[in-house]
Amino acid sequence: MAKRRPSGDGMVRKRSDGRWEGRIVVGHKENGDSIFRYVYAPTQKELSAKLRQHIDRYQGADLTEQSRMTLSEWLDQWLESMADTLRPNTLRNYRSYIENHIRPSLGDKQLTRLTPKDVQQFYEKLGGSLASGTVRRIHTTLHGALKAAQQAHLIASNPTEQIIAPKFSYGEKQILTDEQLDVFMQIIAEDEVWYDFFYTELTTGLRRGEICGLKWMDFDEVSGTLKVCRTVYREDGGGLTAGDTKTSAGTRKIVLPSSTAALLSKRKASAMTEWIFPDPLKPEQPADPGSAYRRLKVLLKQAGLPSIRFHDLRHTFATHALASGVDVKTLSGILGHTRAAFTLDTYTHTTGDMQKRASEVVGDFLTDIFGEELRPWEEIAKAVRAPSV
């Protein structure tokens, strides 16, 4: 029986046409036979350089016969394997990104022939026509599919990890100012059906599906806390479904402001359903996220306020919380973000203003301590910075 050749093992020969050919072992078939990758160059020196790159790339990799499939074929397998582990909305989004963008541009590429350059050019092309957030989500989809391909020994390395991933460009958030919040609070106070809902939203910053999915079992009246552990969304068929939160970090317990805790306690006393905010017409069901969105638009119009998105109420809460002195790590936990760094990046406009105010406070503090004694040092600093004549 022939000895099984390790991945990365190479051979070199000169062809009859004058070119140099190199081959390396990149994997093995089910019967143990080697799977080769061939490299060509006009000179032996050039071939050696190319071969060294490929040997380093495939060293330790043990690809299977399935590595010959195209990216399109693998994406079909990957989606099928993920069907039972992803939320319907997430799976639907993945399919959309694949069918509308990834498959048309890269689908015909053989998995092992897909290079970082191919991926980089693909992202650059998308960046010319799509929003940065959409490009980032397409990257997340492709990265996940290729990571699974690497784990299945179909590719030696993940090309999406060898490039600079597309950045999400955080546009200016639409938030309600202090004055606009006062107007909005006056308007919702006149809405007996939706007042409690929007007051709770403005004081917690919950995602739309999260606040619709709250049950009374999630509210601890004694401690004044709220457990966020599910989200409500609409399936393709049209029905509402309650599922897990967006991420593992989304499952969290938050301490409510005393006013919100008191509001929910009063509401609980007359509750006739398990949902904290039931559908006004079908109390056995949770509030419909779509209905909440439409009601928001009506209230904003009545108040003469900008037609912001529902998610901008979350931004409003977060921005005002930071401006009021809530630290980023605490806010990240309240919002259910996976990383505090994401919170910091998302609300960098607010934290920048906070840093400016902090520097002014420190300056005033030092002046209060040293008084006019600080002045000579300022003059010395100016003199040092002044250009010589």
Side-chain angles (χ1 to χ4, degrees), residues 25-273:
V25 179
V26 297
H28 298 88
K29 301 177 182 178
E30 289 187 7
N31 64 3
D33 290 347
S34 299
I35 298 174
F36 295 101
R37 177 73 186 270
Y38 293 86
V39 183
Y40 302 93
T43 66
Q44 186 176 10
K45 182 177 180 181
E46 290 179 79
L47 179 66
S48 297
K50 278 188 176 182
L51 206 56
R52 173 50 55 191
Q53 292 179 351
H54 282 75
I55 290 174
D56 291 343
R57 179 181 178 187
Y58 288 99
Q59 196 74 46
D62 192 11
L63 307 187
T64 69
E65 289 179 272
Q66 283 193 309
S67 63
R68 300 179 186 277
M69 73 171 69
T70 63
L71 174 62
S72 185
E73 291 170 332
W74 168 246
L75 289 173
D76 288 336
Q77 288 191 24
W78 179 67
L79 281 175
E80 185 177 350
S81 69
M82 297 291 285
D84 295 331
T85 61
L86 295 175
R87 287 169 45 192
N89 278 358
T90 303
L91 183 62
R92 183 167 59 249
N93 289 337
Y94 280 4
R95 290 189 188 281
S96 175
Y97 299 144
I98 288 171
E99 297 303 327
N100 295 325
H101 303 289
I102 300 175
R103 200 189 301 275
S105 296
L106 301 174
D108 291 338
K109 282 273 186 180
Q110 187 176 318
L111 269 177
T112 55
R113 301 283 182 176
L114 185 64
T115 67
K117 184 178 180 181
D118 293 330
V119 177
Q120 188 73 66
Q121 291 177 340
F122 170 57
Y123 291 157
E124 290 173 357
K125 180 180 177 182
L126 292 178
S129 58
L130 298 177
S132 62
T134 303
V135 178
R136 179 71 188 185
R137 286 186 284 273
I138 292 171
H139 162 73
T140 300
T141 304
L142 181 59
H143 172 78
L146 292 177
K147 182 178 180 180
Q150 184 180 9
Q151 292 170 342
H153 299 286
L154 301 181
I155 54 177
S157 59
N158 187 342
T160 64
E161 295 178 349
Q162 301 170 51
I163 62 170
I164 300 175
K167 300 293 185 181
F168 184 88
S169 178
Y170 297 98
E172 185 177 350
K173 302 293 182 294
Q174 285 189 288
I175 65 168
L176 298 177
T177 64
D178 290 339
E179 295 76 13
Q180 291 172 333
L181 264 178
D182 289 340
V183 174
F184 187 67
M185 294 301 291
Q186 292 173 19
I187 287 295
I188 65 173
E190 300 172 5
D191 191 329
E192 295 182 1
V193 176
W194 289 95
Y195 173 74
D196 292 355
F197 180 93
F198 283 109
Y199 187 93
T200 302
E201 172 59 31
L202 285 168
T203 54
T204 60
L206 296 178
R207 298 180 179 94
R208 184 166 35 138
E210 291 174 343
I211 189 171
C212 290
L214 293 174
K215 294 184 178 182
W216 286 116
M217 68 171 67
D218 306 324
F219 174 51
D220 189 327
E221 195 171 0
V222 177
S223 62
T225 59
L226 193 62
K227 185 178 181 182
V228 184
C229 54
R230 75 186 64 79
T231 184
V232 169
Y233 57 91
R234 187 168 292 282
E235 291 186 309
D236 289 339
L240 288 177
T241 299
D244 295 333
T245 53
K246 184 177 181 182
T247 63
S248 58
T251 300
R252 60 203 186 274
K253 181 182 287 187
I254 60 176
V255 179
L256 296 170
S258 56
S259 60
T260 308
L263 178 147
L264 293 182
S265 293
K266 182 179 178 181
R267 184 180 181 84
K268 185 179 180 180
S270 58
M272 300 182 67
T273 174

Side-chain angles (χ1 to χ4, degrees), residues 184 187-195 197-198 208 280 288-303 308 310 313:
F184 187 67
I187 287 295
I188 65 173
E190 300 172 5
D191 191 329
E192 295 182 1
V193 176
W194 289 95
Y195 173 74
F197 180 93
F198 283 109
R208 184 166 35 138
D288 186 337
S291 297
Y293 173 83
R294 289 188 290 272
R295 189 58 191 166
L296 170 64
K297 292 296 185 178
V298 170
L299 292 170
L300 289 170
K301 187 174 182 180
Q302 290 178 356
I308 63 175
F310 191 97
L313 296 181

